[in-house]
Amino acid sequence: MTTKFLAPITFLGLAAALGPVHAEEGNWEPSTLSQATQDRVHAALSAYQRCVDGETRAHLNDRADSRRVTEAILRACEDPLTAIKTAFDAEHVPAALSERYLRSKRSLAAQQILRLVMANQAVRAADPQR
Protein backbone atom coordinates (compact mmCIF):
# COMPACT_ATOMS: atom_id res chain seq x y z
CA MET A 1 0.00 0.00 0.00
CA THR A 2 1.31 3.41 -0.84
CA THR A 3 0.47 6.89 0.26
CA LYS A 4 1.02 8.56 -3.10
CA PHE A 5 -2.67 8.22 -3.95
CA LEU A 6 -3.79 9.96 -0.76
CA ALA A 7 -2.77 13.54 -1.47
CA PRO A 8 -4.62 14.14 -4.75
CA ILE A 9 -7.78 12.33 -3.77
CA THR A 10 -7.89 13.50 -0.16
CA PHE A 11 -9.25 16.94 -0.86
CA LEU A 12 -11.15 15.91 -3.97
CA GLY A 13 -12.84 13.20 -1.93
CA LEU A 14 -13.73 15.68 0.77
CA ALA A 15 -15.11 18.13 -1.77
CA ALA A 16 -17.11 15.38 -3.48
CA ALA A 17 -18.47 14.12 -0.17
CA LEU A 18 -19.58 17.59 0.75
CA GLY A 19 -21.52 18.27 -2.41
CA PRO A 20 -22.42 21.80 -3.48
CA VAL A 21 -22.16 24.38 -0.74
CA HIS A 22 -23.24 27.99 -1.21
CA ALA A 23 -21.09 30.74 0.30
CA GLU A 24 -23.89 33.28 0.37
CA GLU A 25 -25.76 31.16 2.91
CA GLY A 26 -22.83 31.37 5.35
CA ASN A 27 -22.04 27.65 5.08
CA TRP A 28 -18.60 26.20 5.24
CA GLU A 29 -16.89 25.61 1.88
CA PRO A 30 -14.16 23.06 1.19
CA SER A 31 -12.02 25.74 -0.42
CA THR A 32 -11.87 27.68 2.86
CA LEU A 33 -9.51 25.17 4.47
CA SER A 34 -6.26 26.89 5.25
CA GLN A 35 -3.05 25.52 3.85
CA ALA A 36 -1.91 24.68 7.38
CA THR A 37 -5.03 22.55 7.92
CA GLN A 38 -4.56 20.84 4.58
CA ASP A 39 -0.96 20.07 5.56
CA ARG A 40 -2.07 18.68 8.95
CA VAL A 41 -4.71 16.51 7.29
CA HIS A 42 -2.20 15.22 4.73
CA ALA A 43 0.36 14.49 7.45
CA ALA A 44 -2.26 12.66 9.53
CA LEU A 45 -3.39 10.63 6.50
CA SER A 46 0.22 9.69 5.79
CA ALA A 47 0.71 8.68 9.43
CA TYR A 48 -2.53 6.66 9.26
CA GLN A 49 -1.39 4.84 6.12
CA ARG A 50 2.04 4.11 7.66
CA CYS A 51 0.35 2.75 10.78
CA VAL A 52 -2.03 0.59 8.74
CA ASP A 53 0.84 -0.71 6.62
CA GLY A 54 2.98 -1.55 9.66
CA GLU A 55 0.15 -3.17 11.61
CA THR A 56 -0.91 -5.16 8.56
CA ARG A 57 2.63 -6.48 8.11
CA ALA A 58 2.77 -7.35 11.81
CA HIS A 59 -0.55 -9.23 11.78
CA LEU A 60 -0.54 -10.65 8.27
CA ASN A 61 0.21 -14.17 9.44
CA ASP A 62 -2.28 -14.20 12.32
CA ARG A 63 -4.43 -17.31 12.26
CA ALA A 64 -7.56 -15.53 13.56
CA ASP A 65 -10.59 -14.74 11.44
CA SER A 66 -9.69 -12.16 8.77
CA ARG A 67 -12.41 -9.77 9.97
CA ARG A 68 -11.05 -9.84 13.53
CA VAL A 69 -7.52 -9.23 12.31
CA THR A 70 -8.74 -6.30 10.21
CA GLU A 71 -10.66 -4.82 13.13
CA ALA A 72 -7.61 -5.11 15.42
CA ILE A 73 -5.44 -3.32 12.86
CA LEU A 74 -7.97 -0.52 12.41
CA ARG A 75 -8.35 -0.04 16.18
CA ALA A 76 -4.58 0.19 16.59
CA CYS A 77 -4.44 3.03 14.04
CA GLU A 78 -7.23 5.35 15.25
CA ASP A 79 -4.97 8.12 16.64
CA PRO A 80 -4.00 9.69 13.28
CA LEU A 81 -7.68 9.91 12.38
CA THR A 82 -8.31 11.79 15.61
CA ALA A 83 -5.75 14.36 14.44
CA ILE A 84 -7.75 14.87 11.25
CA LYS A 85 -10.95 15.42 13.22
CA THR A 86 -9.17 17.96 15.42
CA ALA A 87 -7.86 19.83 12.37
CA PHE A 88 -11.33 19.92 10.82
CA ASP A 89 -12.88 21.08 14.09
CA ALA A 90 -10.39 23.96 14.26
CA GLU A 91 -11.62 25.10 10.82
CA HIS A 92 -15.26 24.73 11.93
CA VAL A 93 -16.02 22.00 9.43
CA PRO A 94 -19.47 20.63 10.31
CA ALA A 95 -19.21 17.45 12.37
CA ALA A 96 -21.39 15.46 9.98
CA LEU A 97 -19.04 16.23 7.10
CA SER A 98 -15.83 15.47 8.96
CA GLU A 99 -17.28 12.22 10.35
CA ARG A 100 -18.35 11.15 6.87
CA TYR A 101 -14.84 11.89 5.60
CA LEU A 102 -13.26 9.83 8.40
CA ARG A 103 -15.69 6.94 7.83
CA SER A 104 -14.71 6.87 4.17
CA LYS A 105 -11.01 6.70 5.08
CA ARG A 106 -11.65 3.89 7.58
CA SER A 107 -13.75 2.03 5.03
CA LEU A 108 -11.08 2.22 2.33
CA ALA A 109 -8.42 1.06 4.77
CA ALA A 110 -10.64 -1.81 5.95
CA GLN A 111 -11.16 -2.97 2.37
CA GLN A 112 -7.43 -2.90 1.66
CA ILE A 113 -6.51 -4.71 4.87
CA LEU A 114 -9.21 -7.35 4.51
CA ARG A 115 -8.18 -8.03 0.93
CA LEU A 116 -4.53 -8.55 1.95
CA VAL A 117 -5.31 -10.68 5.01
CA MET A 118 -7.75 -12.90 3.11
CA ALA A 119 -5.31 -13.34 0.23
CA ASN A 120 -2.53 -14.29 2.63
CA GLN A 121 -4.81 -16.77 4.41
CA ALA A 122 -5.81 -18.28 1.05
CA VAL A 123 -2.16 -18.74 0.10
CA ARG A 124 -1.47 -20.42 3.45
CA ALA A 125 -4.49 -22.72 3.01
CA ALA A 126 -3.40 -23.68 -0.50
CA ASP A 127 0.17 -24.42 0.56
CA PRO A 128 0.13 -26.34 3.87
CA GLN A 129 3.94 -26.23 4.09
CA ARG A 130 3.83 -22.44 4.53
Side-chain angles (χ1 to χ4, degrees), residues 21-66:
V21 178
H22 305 288
E24 62 273 1
E25 297 173 8
N27 291 333
W28 178 84
E29 292 183 40
S31 61
T32 62
L33 285 177
S34 68
Q35 186 61 44
T37 299
Q38 292 178 22
D39 292 343
R40 283 194 301 270
V41 169
H42 183 265
L45 283 173
S46 295
Y48 181 66
Q49 192 64 44
R50 281 190 306 274
C51 178
V52 166
D53 290 348
E55 288 292 320
T56 301
R57 278 191 294 277
H59 295 286
L60 198 57
N61 291 319
D62 287 1
R63 301 272 183 205
D65 179 62
S66 57

mmCIF file of all heavy atoms in Angstrom, residues 21-66:
data_model
loop_
_atom_site.group_PDB
_atom_site.id
_atom_site.type_symbol
_atom_site.label_atom_id
_atom_site.label_comp_id
_atom_site.label_asym_id
_atom_site.label_seq_id
_atom_site.Cartn_x
_atom_site.Cartn_y
_atom_site.Cartn_z
ATOM 1 N N VAL A 21 -21.950 23.547 -1.915
ATOM 2 C CA VAL A 21 -22.157 24.383 -0.738
ATOM 3 C C VAL A 21 -22.166 25.832 -1.217
ATOM 4 O O VAL A 21 -21.323 26.240 -2.007
ATOM 5 C CB VAL A 21 -21.036 24.161 0.304
ATOM 6 C CG1 VAL A 21 -21.229 25.067 1.497
ATOM 7 C CG2 VAL A 21 -21.006 22.712 0.735
ATOM 8 N N HIS A 22 -23.096 26.607 -0.756
ATOM 9 C CA HIS A 22 -23.238 27.988 -1.213
ATOM 10 C C HIS A 22 -22.677 28.949 -0.176
ATOM 11 O O HIS A 22 -23.086 28.955 0.975
ATOM 12 C CB HIS A 22 -24.701 28.306 -1.483
ATOM 13 C CG HIS A 22 -25.319 27.337 -2.457
ATOM 14 N ND1 HIS A 22 -25.008 27.344 -3.788
ATOM 15 C CD2 HIS A 22 -26.178 26.320 -2.266
ATOM 16 C CE1 HIS A 22 -25.675 26.378 -4.393
ATOM 17 N NE2 HIS A 22 -26.386 25.735 -3.492
ATOM 18 N N ALA A 23 -21.748 29.808 -0.607
ATOM 19 C CA ALA A 23 -21.087 30.737 0.302
ATOM 20 C C ALA A 23 -22.044 31.811 0.801
ATOM 21 O O ALA A 23 -21.937 32.264 1.922
ATOM 22 C CB ALA A 23 -19.889 31.379 -0.394
ATOM 23 N N GLU A 24 -22.996 32.205 -0.037
ATOM 24 C CA GLU A 24 -23.892 33.283 0.367
ATOM 25 C C GLU A 24 -24.795 32.885 1.536
ATOM 26 O O GLU A 24 -25.346 33.722 2.217
ATOM 27 C CB GLU A 24 -24.745 33.775 -0.818
ATOM 28 C CG GLU A 24 -25.669 32.738 -1.421
ATOM 29 C CD GLU A 24 -25.009 31.879 -2.498
ATOM 30 O OE1 GLU A 24 -23.821 32.067 -2.779
ATOM 31 O OE2 GLU A 24 -25.698 31.008 -3.045
ATOM 32 N N GLU A 25 -24.946 31.623 1.798
ATOM 33 C CA GLU A 25 -25.757 31.160 2.908
ATOM 34 C C GLU A 25 -24.950 31.095 4.201
ATOM 35 O O GLU A 25 -25.477 30.752 5.240
ATOM 36 C CB GLU A 25 -26.345 29.778 2.606
ATOM 37 C CG GLU A 25 -27.292 29.780 1.426
ATOM 38 C CD GLU A 25 -27.736 28.388 1.041
ATOM 39 O OE1 GLU A 25 -27.430 27.425 1.770
ATOM 40 O OE2 GLU A 25 -28.383 28.260 0.001
ATOM 41 N N GLY A 26 -23.663 31.397 4.152
ATOM 42 C CA GLY A 26 -22.831 31.371 5.345
ATOM 43 C C GLY A 26 -22.373 29.974 5.716
ATOM 44 O O GLY A 26 -21.921 29.749 6.827
ATOM 45 N N ASN A 27 -22.479 29.015 4.819
ATOM 46 C CA ASN A 27 -22.042 27.649 5.080
ATOM 47 C C ASN A 27 -20.551 27.523 4.854
ATOM 48 O O ASN A 27 -19.941 28.319 4.144
ATOM 49 C CB ASN A 27 -22.775 26.658 4.167
ATOM 50 C CG ASN A 27 -24.236 26.538 4.518
ATOM 51 O OD1 ASN A 27 -24.627 26.764 5.661
ATOM 52 N ND2 ASN A 27 -25.054 26.197 3.545
ATOM 53 N N TRP A 28 -20.006 26.483 5.430
ATOM 54 C CA TRP A 28 -18.600 26.200 5.240
ATOM 55 C C TRP A 28 -18.383 25.697 3.827
ATOM 56 O O TRP A 28 -19.188 24.975 3.264
ATOM 57 C CB TRP A 28 -18.172 25.144 6.258
ATOM 58 C CG TRP A 28 -16.757 24.737 6.113
ATOM 59 C CD1 TRP A 28 -15.672 25.351 6.625
ATOM 60 C CD2 TRP A 28 -16.277 23.614 5.386
ATOM 61 N NE1 TRP A 28 -14.541 24.692 6.273
ATOM 62 C CE2 TRP A 28 -14.882 23.618 5.506
ATOM 63 C CE3 TRP A 28 -16.874 22.609 4.637
ATOM 64 C CZ2 TRP A 28 -14.091 22.665 4.914
ATOM 65 C CZ3 TRP A 28 -16.082 21.669 4.048
ATOM 66 C CH2 TRP A 28 -14.703 21.703 4.192
ATOM 67 N N GLU A 29 -17.262 26.084 3.213
ATOM 68 C CA GLU A 29 -16.893 25.611 1.879
ATOM 69 C C GLU A 29 -15.564 24.874 1.951
ATOM 70 O O GLU A 29 -14.679 25.279 2.700
ATOM 71 C CB GLU A 29 -16.731 26.789 0.920
ATOM 72 C CG GLU A 29 -18.014 27.505 0.614
ATOM 73 C CD GLU A 29 -17.773 28.595 -0.398
ATOM 74 O OE1 GLU A 29 -16.999 28.374 -1.352
ATOM 75 O OE2 GLU A 29 -18.347 29.660 -0.221
ATOM 76 N N PRO A 30 -15.419 23.798 1.166
ATOM 77 C CA PRO A 30 -14.157 23.055 1.191
ATOM 78 C C PRO A 30 -12.960 23.934 0.845
ATOM 79 O O PRO A 30 -11.874 23.727 1.346
ATOM 80 C CB PRO A 30 -14.342 21.969 0.147
ATOM 81 C CG PRO A 30 -15.758 21.966 -0.223
ATOM 82 C CD PRO A 30 -16.385 23.229 0.264
ATOM 83 N N SER A 31 -13.136 24.915 0.004
ATOM 84 C CA SER A 31 -12.018 25.742 -0.421
ATOM 85 C C SER A 31 -11.539 26.686 0.674
ATOM 86 O O SER A 31 -10.524 27.334 0.526
ATOM 87 C CB SER A 31 -12.408 26.547 -1.661
ATOM 88 O OG SER A 31 -13.506 27.386 -1.355
ATOM 89 N N THR A 32 -12.276 26.773 1.789
ATOM 90 C CA THR A 32 -11.868 27.675 2.856
ATOM 91 C C THR A 32 -10.884 27.039 3.825
ATOM 92 O O THR A 32 -10.468 27.691 4.763
ATOM 93 C CB THR A 32 -13.093 28.192 3.649
ATOM 94 O OG1 THR A 32 -13.738 27.083 4.264
ATOM 95 C CG2 THR A 32 -14.042 28.950 2.766
ATOM 96 N N LEU A 33 -10.522 25.797 3.607
ATOM 97 C CA LEU A 33 -9.513 25.174 4.468
ATOM 98 C C LEU A 33 -8.180 25.877 4.264
ATOM 99 O O LEU A 33 -7.727 26.054 3.136
ATOM 100 C CB LEU A 33 -9.347 23.692 4.138
ATOM 101 C CG LEU A 33 -10.428 22.747 4.602
ATOM 102 C CD1 LEU A 33 -10.134 21.335 4.116
ATOM 103 C CD2 LEU A 33 -10.564 22.760 6.107
ATOM 104 N N SER A 34 -7.565 26.244 5.351
ATOM 105 C CA SER A 34 -6.262 26.894 5.249
ATOM 106 C C SER A 34 -5.215 25.881 4.805
ATOM 107 O O SER A 34 -5.394 24.663 4.951
ATOM 108 C CB SER A 34 -5.864 27.480 6.611
ATOM 109 O OG SER A 34 -5.614 26.438 7.528
ATOM 110 N N GLN A 35 -4.124 26.395 4.291
ATOM 111 C CA GLN A 35 -3.046 25.518 3.845
ATOM 112 C C GLN A 35 -2.475 24.739 5.028
ATOM 113 O O GLN A 35 -2.127 23.565 4.896
ATOM 114 C CB GLN A 35 -1.937 26.326 3.156
ATOM 115 C CG GLN A 35 -0.860 25.457 2.546
ATOM 116 C CD GLN A 35 -1.394 24.520 1.469
ATOM 117 O OE1 GLN A 35 -2.199 24.927 0.622
ATOM 118 N NE2 GLN A 35 -0.965 23.279 1.479
ATOM 119 N N ALA A 36 -2.422 25.361 6.186
ATOM 120 C CA ALA A 36 -1.909 24.683 7.380
ATOM 121 C C ALA A 36 -2.797 23.486 7.733
ATOM 122 O O ALA A 36 -2.292 22.410 8.086
ATOM 123 C CB ALA A 36 -1.835 25.653 8.552
ATOM 124 N N THR A 37 -4.108 23.654 7.631
ATOM 125 C CA THR A 37 -5.031 22.553 7.920
ATOM 126 C C THR A 37 -4.877 21.452 6.884
ATOM 127 O O THR A 37 -4.857 20.270 7.228
ATOM 128 C CB THR A 37 -6.483 23.055 7.960
ATOM 129 O OG1 THR A 37 -6.602 24.018 9.007
ATOM 130 C CG2 THR A 37 -7.454 21.920 8.201
ATOM 131 N N GLN A 38 -4.760 21.839 5.629
ATOM 132 C CA GLN A 38 -4.560 20.842 4.585
ATOM 133 C C GLN A 38 -3.279 20.063 4.825
ATOM 134 O O GLN A 38 -3.250 18.840 4.645
ATOM 135 C CB GLN A 38 -4.532 21.519 3.211
ATOM 136 C CG GLN A 38 -5.866 22.084 2.798
ATOM 137 C CD GLN A 38 -5.797 22.791 1.457
ATOM 138 O OE1 GLN A 38 -4.902 22.542 0.655
ATOM 139 N NE2 GLN A 38 -6.742 23.667 1.209
ATOM 140 N N ASP A 39 -2.235 20.747 5.257
ATOM 141 C CA ASP A 39 -0.964 20.073 5.557
ATOM 142 C C ASP A 39 -1.114 19.122 6.742
ATOM 143 O O ASP A 39 -0.582 18.011 6.730
ATOM 144 C CB ASP A 39 0.136 21.094 5.838
ATOM 145 C CG ASP A 39 0.525 21.892 4.603
ATOM 146 O OD1 ASP A 39 0.204 21.457 3.472
ATOM 147 O OD2 ASP A 39 1.140 22.963 4.772
ATOM 148 N N ARG A 40 -1.848 19.554 7.784
ATOM 149 C CA ARG A 40 -2.071 18.684 8.946
ATOM 150 C C ARG A 40 -2.873 17.450 8.558
ATOM 151 O O ARG A 40 -2.572 16.337 9.002
ATOM 152 C CB ARG A 40 -2.786 19.446 10.061
ATOM 153 C CG ARG A 40 -1.888 20.366 10.840
ATOM 154 C CD ARG A 40 -2.525 20.833 12.134
ATOM 155 N NE ARG A 40 -3.780 21.549 11.958
ATOM 156 C CZ ARG A 40 -3.887 22.862 11.791
ATOM 157 N NH1 ARG A 40 -2.815 23.611 11.784
ATOM 158 N NH2 ARG A 40 -5.066 23.421 11.645
ATOM 159 N N VAL A 41 -3.891 17.641 7.730
ATOM 160 C CA VAL A 41 -4.707 16.508 7.285
ATOM 161 C C VAL A 41 -3.856 15.550 6.462
ATOM 162 O O VAL A 41 -3.908 14.328 6.661
ATOM 163 C CB VAL A 41 -5.941 16.988 6.491
ATOM 164 C CG1 VAL A 41 -6.640 15.828 5.807
ATOM 165 C CG2 VAL A 41 -6.912 17.727 7.408
ATOM 166 N N HIS A 42 -3.059 16.076 5.559
ATOM 167 C CA HIS A 42 -2.201 15.225 4.731
ATOM 168 C C HIS A 42 -1.198 14.465 5.590
ATOM 169 O O HIS A 42 -0.970 13.265 5.383
ATOM 170 C CB HIS A 42 -1.477 16.059 3.673
ATOM 171 C CG HIS A 42 -0.655 15.218 2.763
ATOM 172 N ND1 HIS A 42 0.687 15.007 2.967
ATOM 173 C CD2 HIS A 42 -0.984 14.504 1.665
ATOM 174 C CE1 HIS A 42 1.150 14.198 2.037
ATOM 175 N NE2 HIS A 42 0.161 13.884 1.225
ATOM 176 N N ALA A 43 -0.595 15.150 6.567
ATOM 177 C CA ALA A 43 0.365 14.492 7.455
ATOM 178 C C ALA A 43 -0.315 13.392 8.270
ATOM 179 O O ALA A 43 0.241 12.303 8.445
ATOM 180 C CB ALA A 43 1.020 15.513 8.380
ATOM 181 N N ALA A 44 -1.527 13.663 8.744
ATOM 182 C CA ALA A 44 -2.259 12.661 9.528
ATOM 183 C C ALA A 44 -2.656 11.478 8.653
ATOM 184 O O ALA A 44 -2.592 10.321 9.097
ATOM 185 C CB ALA A 44 -3.491 13.288 10.171
ATOM 186 N N LEU A 45 -3.055 11.732 7.414
ATOM 187 C CA LEU A 45 -3.390 10.630 6.505
ATOM 188 C C LEU A 45 -2.156 9.785 6.189
ATOM 189 O O LEU A 45 -2.246 8.557 6.111
ATOM 190 C CB LEU A 45 -4.001 11.165 5.206
ATOM 191 C CG LEU A 45 -5.442 11.612 5.296
ATOM 192 C CD1 LEU A 45 -5.875 12.288 3.990
ATOM 193 C CD2 LEU A 45 -6.353 10.448 5.612
ATOM 194 N N SER A 46 -1.018 10.435 6.031
ATOM 195 C CA SER A 46 0.224 9.695 5.792
ATOM 196 C C SER A 46 0.584 8.847 7.005
ATOM 197 O O SER A 46 0.981 7.685 6.867
ATOM 198 C CB SER A 46 1.365 10.654 5.472
ATOM 199 O OG SER A 46 1.116 11.322 4.259
ATOM 200 N N ALA A 47 0.435 9.425 8.196
ATOM 201 C CA ALA A 47 0.711 8.678 9.427
ATOM 202 C C ALA A 47 -0.259 7.505 9.562
ATOM 203 O O ALA A 47 0.136 6.406 9.979
ATOM 204 C CB ALA A 47 0.599 9.595 10.636
ATOM 205 N N TYR A 48 -1.516 7.724 9.205
ATOM 206 C CA TYR A 48 -2.525 6.657 9.258
ATOM 207 C C TYR A 48 -2.148 5.523 8.315
ATOM 208 O O TYR A 48 -2.186 4.350 8.687
ATOM 209 C CB TYR A 48 -3.894 7.224 8.905
ATOM 210 C CG TYR A 48 -5.012 6.215 8.958
ATOM 211 C CD1 TYR A 48 -5.397 5.624 10.158
ATOM 212 C CD2 TYR A 48 -5.712 5.859 7.814
ATOM 213 C CE1 TYR A 48 -6.430 4.710 10.217
ATOM 214 C CE2 TYR A 48 -6.750 4.947 7.858
ATOM 215 C CZ TYR A 48 -7.107 4.379 9.064
ATOM 216 O OH TYR A 48 -8.130 3.468 9.113
ATOM 217 N N GLN A 49 -1.752 5.867 7.103
ATOM 218 C CA GLN A 49 -1.388 4.844 6.125
ATOM 219 C C GLN A 49 -0.146 4.080 6.580
ATOM 220 O O GLN A 49 -0.086 2.863 6.438
ATOM 221 C CB GLN A 49 -1.163 5.465 4.747
ATOM 222 C CG GLN A 49 -1.068 4.450 3.637
ATOM 223 C CD GLN A 49 -2.360 3.684 3.443
ATOM 224 O OE1 GLN A 49 -3.444 4.250 3.446
ATOM 225 N NE2 GLN A 49 -2.260 2.382 3.274
ATOM 226 N N ARG A 50 0.846 4.788 7.142
ATOM 227 C CA ARG A 50 2.044 4.108 7.658
ATOM 228 C C ARG A 50 1.675 3.157 8.791
ATOM 229 O O ARG A 50 2.182 2.031 8.871
ATOM 230 C CB ARG A 50 3.083 5.119 8.139
ATOM 231 C CG ARG A 50 3.892 5.757 7.040
ATOM 232 C CD ARG A 50 5.069 6.552 7.579
ATOM 233 N NE ARG A 50 4.707 7.546 8.575
ATOM 234 C CZ ARG A 50 4.298 8.781 8.314
ATOM 235 N NH1 ARG A 50 4.198 9.182 7.054
ATOM 236 N NH2 ARG A 50 3.998 9.618 9.296
ATOM 237 N N CYS A 51 0.783 3.597 9.665
ATOM 238 C CA CYS A 51 0.345 2.751 10.777
ATOM 239 C C CYS A 51 -0.371 1.512 10.248
ATOM 240 O O CYS A 51 -0.093 0.394 10.677
ATOM 241 C CB CYS A 51 -0.574 3.543 11.708
ATOM 242 S SG CYS A 51 -1.215 2.575 13.086
ATOM 243 N N VAL A 52 -1.280 1.717 9.312
ATOM 244 C CA VAL A 52 -2.031 0.594 8.737
ATOM 245 C C VAL A 52 -1.074 -0.377 8.053
ATOM 246 O O VAL A 52 -1.192 -1.595 8.223
ATOM 247 C CB VAL A 52 -3.115 1.107 7.753
ATOM 248 C CG1 VAL A 52 -3.673 -0.017 6.900
ATOM 249 C CG2 VAL A 52 -4.234 1.805 8.520
ATOM 250 N N ASP A 53 -0.128 0.148 7.306
ATOM 251 C CA ASP A 53 0.845 -0.711 6.623
ATOM 252 C C ASP A 53 1.657 -1.526 7.629
ATOM 253 O O ASP A 53 1.823 -2.738 7.473
ATOM 254 C CB ASP A 53 1.797 0.113 5.758
ATOM 255 C CG ASP A 53 1.124 0.711 4.535
ATOM 256 O OD1 ASP A 53 -0.018 0.327 4.221
ATOM 257 O OD2 ASP A 53 1.746 1.597 3.905
ATOM 258 N N GLY A 54 2.163 -0.866 8.657
ATOM 259 C CA GLY A 54 2.975 -1.546 9.660
ATOM 260 C C GLY A 54 2.189 -2.581 10.443
ATOM 261 O O GLY A 54 2.661 -3.707 10.659
ATOM 262 N N GLU A 55 0.992 -2.225 10.870
ATOM 263 C CA GLU A 55 0.151 -3.168 11.615
ATOM 264 C C GLU A 55 -0.265 -4.346 10.742
ATOM 265 O O GLU A 55 -0.339 -5.478 11.210
ATOM 266 C CB GLU A 55 -1.091 -2.463 12.174
ATOM 267 C CG GLU A 55 -0.806 -1.528 13.318
ATOM 268 C CD GLU A 55 -0.365 -2.249 14.569
ATOM 269 O OE1 GLU A 55 -0.916 -3.322 14.893
ATOM 270 O OE2 GLU A 55 0.545 -1.732 15.244
ATOM 271 N N THR A 56 -0.524 -4.082 9.472
ATOM 272 C CA THR A 56 -0.906 -5.158 8.556
ATOM 273 C C THR A 56 0.254 -6.135 8.400
ATOM 274 O O THR A 56 0.062 -7.348 8.462
ATOM 275 C CB THR A 56 -1.334 -4.604 7.185
ATOM 276 O OG1 THR A 56 -2.441 -3.719 7.375
ATOM 277 C CG2 THR A 56 -1.740 -5.717 6.243
ATOM 278 N N ARG A 57 1.458 -5.604 8.214
ATOM 279 C CA ARG A 57 2.630 -6.484 8.115
ATOM 280 C C ARG A 57 2.812 -7.298 9.391
ATOM 281 O O ARG A 57 3.137 -8.479 9.344
ATOM 282 C CB ARG A 57 3.887 -5.668 7.817
ATOM 283 C CG ARG A 57 4.071 -5.332 6.361
ATOM 284 C CD ARG A 57 5.452 -4.759 6.084
ATOM 285 N NE ARG A 57 5.669 -3.472 6.722
ATOM 286 C CZ ARG A 57 5.273 -2.306 6.217
ATOM 287 N NH1 ARG A 57 4.641 -2.279 5.066
ATOM 288 N NH2 ARG A 57 5.521 -1.178 6.858
ATOM 289 N N ALA A 58 2.582 -6.669 10.527
ATOM 290 C CA ALA A 58 2.775 -7.351 11.808
ATOM 291 C C ALA A 58 1.740 -8.454 12.042
ATOM 292 O O ALA A 58 2.037 -9.454 12.687
ATOM 293 C CB ALA A 58 2.716 -6.342 12.951
ATOM 294 N N HIS A 59 0.543 -8.277 11.515
ATOM 295 C CA HIS A 59 -0.545 -9.226 11.785
ATOM 296 C C HIS A 59 -0.941 -10.056 10.560
ATOM 297 O O HIS A 59 -1.938 -10.771 10.607
ATOM 298 C CB HIS A 59 -1.784 -8.475 12.286
ATOM 299 C CG HIS A 59 -1.563 -7.810 13.603
ATOM 300 N ND1 HIS A 59 -1.505 -8.509 14.788
ATOM 301 C CD2 HIS A 59 -1.350 -6.512 13.917
ATOM 302 C CE1 HIS A 59 -1.298 -7.670 15.775
ATOM 303 N NE2 HIS A 59 -1.182 -6.447 15.275
ATOM 304 N N LEU A 60 -0.174 -9.969 9.510
ATOM 305 C CA LEU A 60 -0.542 -10.650 8.271
ATOM 306 C C LEU A 60 -0.618 -12.161 8.434
ATOM 307 O O LEU A 60 -1.447 -12.814 7.809
ATOM 308 C CB LEU A 60 0.451 -10.281 7.161
ATOM 309 C CG LEU A 60 0.002 -10.553 5.741
ATOM 310 C CD1 LEU A 60 -1.306 -9.842 5.428
ATOM 311 C CD2 LEU A 60 1.060 -10.100 4.758
ATOM 312 N N ASN A 61 0.202 -12.720 9.280
ATOM 313 C CA ASN A 61 0.211 -14.174 9.443
ATOM 314 C C ASN A 61 -0.610 -14.660 10.631
ATOM 315 O O ASN A 61 -0.513 -15.828 11.006
ATOM 316 C CB ASN A 61 1.658 -14.670 9.555
ATOM 317 C CG ASN A 61 2.389 -14.528 8.247
ATOM 318 O OD1 ASN A 61 1.838 -14.795 7.185
ATOM 319 N ND2 ASN A 61 3.622 -14.068 8.303
ATOM 320 N N ASP A 62 -1.408 -13.781 11.221
ATOM 321 C CA ASP A 62 -2.285 -14.202 12.318
ATOM 322 C C ASP A 62 -3.263 -15.253 11.804
ATOM 323 O O ASP A 62 -3.761 -15.172 10.681
ATOM 324 C CB ASP A 62 -3.064 -13.019 12.892
ATOM 325 C CG ASP A 62 -2.190 -12.094 13.713
ATOM 326 O OD1 ASP A 62 -0.976 -12.363 13.828
ATOM 327 O OD2 ASP A 62 -2.717 -11.096 14.232
ATOM 328 N N ARG A 63 -3.541 -16.216 12.643
ATOM 329 C CA ARG A 63 -4.434 -17.313 12.261
ATOM 330 C C ARG A 63 -5.902 -17.007 12.564
ATOM 331 O O ARG A 63 -6.770 -17.786 12.241
ATOM 332 C CB ARG A 63 -4.036 -18.590 13.005
ATOM 333 C CG ARG A 63 -2.616 -19.014 12.720
ATOM 334 C CD ARG A 63 -2.563 -19.885 11.529
ATOM 335 N NE ARG A 63 -1.193 -20.352 11.315
ATOM 336 C CZ ARG A 63 -0.769 -20.704 10.139
ATOM 337 N NH1 ARG A 63 -1.554 -20.668 9.110
ATOM 338 N NH2 ARG A 63 0.472 -21.117 9.988
ATOM 339 N N ALA A 64 -6.185 -15.887 13.189
ATOM 340 C CA ALA A 64 -7.560 -15.530 13.562
ATOM 341 C C ALA A 64 -8.389 -15.227 12.309
ATOM 342 O O ALA A 64 -7.858 -15.098 11.201
ATOM 343 C CB ALA A 64 -7.548 -14.321 14.480
ATOM 344 N N ASP A 65 -9.680 -15.090 12.514
ATOM 345 C CA ASP A 65 -10.594 -14.735 11.438
ATOM 346 C C ASP A 65 -10.133 -13.420 10.802
ATOM 347 O O ASP A 65 -9.738 -12.485 11.503
ATOM 348 C CB ASP A 65 -12.013 -14.581 12.011
ATOM 349 C CG ASP A 65 -13.006 -14.197 10.943
ATOM 350 O OD1 ASP A 65 -13.202 -14.981 9.991
ATOM 351 O OD2 ASP A 65 -13.587 -13.092 11.061
ATOM 352 N N SER A 66 -10.191 -13.334 9.494
ATOM 353 C CA SER A 66 -9.692 -12.161 8.772
ATOM 354 C C SER A 66 -10.408 -10.877 9.201
ATOM 355 O O SER A 66 -9.796 -9.814 9.261
ATOM 356 C CB SER A 66 -9.823 -12.362 7.266
ATOM 357 O OG SER A 66 -11.166 -12.620 6.909
#
